[in-house]
Amino acid sequence: KMEFLTVDAKPYPYAFPLRKTALVIIDMQRDFLLPDGFGEIEGGDLTDVQAAIEPVGKLLAACRNAGMTVFHTREGQRPDMSDMPSNKTVRQAEAPDTQYKLGIGDKGKMGRLLIRGEYGHDIVDELQPVPGEVIIDKPGKGAFWDTQIMYRLKSRGITHLLIAGVTTECCVTTTYREANDRGFECCAVFEATDGYNPGFKISALDMLHWSQGLFGFVANLQPLLDVLK
Ligand code: TIU
């Protein structure tokens, strides 16, 4: 028997089948969250993304406790950078004001920036995956481009996604929109995502649920924690 849970959400309550729902945590990596990481070098204000670590942790604990499938993604390139999108290379080389003192693959204080295997590329201590959880390494912003995520989700019978992580304006909503086009019923968790610009977060999330759910749903964390108990 399929157990459906329902949580208050925008634009209307989100119903999700517990056994067919995955939590997808986007890019909670040291390079995006800690000082001297890629995000800060890129010009990001870390205040809000760091504040998201605790709510993401609460969501992760609740989903684990409910027996839900958990996916973690990490943005980065292979050490030889053979999977580096050319537009990333072009953009960091040709940014007019050379705000990027260092770029992807350069050596930062936490290792080579956004390179797999480096300390800075990995997930923060508080949110480390446990055995049985799926880690998706992705070369771009969205988790569906050049990765196995679709096969991993389909092979587990997943139809619904709870989406959290950083940054809202970049990898979170890119992945959410990719998932929506592939037929997944998505719900972003408001307090468990944040970005480098407060205005961006609100706009990005408003766009997801505008007009009867243009792309899907947005729920608050506490009501979700309550229904997962
Ligand atoms: N640049 C920026 O805001 N974010 C990223 O490049 N990656 C993610 O959003 N994870």
Side-chain angles (χ1 to χ4, degrees), residues 148-202:
Q148 298 284 309
I149 193 169
M150 178 102 131
Y151 308 106
R152 299 280 179 271
L153 291 168
K154 291 274 179 195
S155 67
R156 285 163 177 75
I158 299 297
T159 55
H160 289 58
L161 306 179
L162 296 176
I163 302 185
V166 298
T167 62
T168 318
E169 62 270 14
C170 186
C171 296
V172 173
T173 45
T174 300
T175 298
Y176 188 122
R177 289 164 180 232
E178 287 180 324
N180 174 64
D181 270 345
R182 287 157 181 78
F184 294 96
E185 289 287 0
C186 301
C187 182
V189 185
F190 187 87
E191 294 80 3
T193 179
D194 225 308
Y196 293 140
N197 178 315
F200 287 169
K201 167 176 170 171
I202 301 300

Side-chain angles (χ1 to χ4, degrees), residues 58-71:
K58 285 184 181 166
L59 177 63
L60 176 58
C63 290
R64 282 175 176 162
N65 205 40
M68 202 181 279
T69 298
V70 177
F71 278 54

Side-chain angles (χ1 to χ4, degrees), residues 27-33 36-39 41-42 74-79 81 83-85 88 92 100 102-108 110-122 137-141 171 196:
D27 300 2
M28 291 297 282
Q29 296 161 258
R30 299 185 183 108
D31 260 332
F32 292 119
L33 296 170
D36 302 313
F38 179 77
I41 290 169
E42 190 191 36
R74 298 184 299 201
E75 178 179 351
Q77 318 307 138
R78 297 171 187 232
M81 296 183 68
D83 60 353
M84 178 76 166
K88 284 189 180 179
Q92 67 186 24
Y100 292 38
L102 295 171
I104 296 165
D106 289 342
K107 191 129 178 73
M110 294 189 289
R112 294 178 66 205
L113 297 168
L114 290 182
I115 297 295
R116 291 179 204 155
E118 300 289 335
Y119 181 78
H121 171 268
D122 203 5
D137 280 319
K138 60 187 178 67
K141 309 301 190 195
C171 296
Y196 293 140

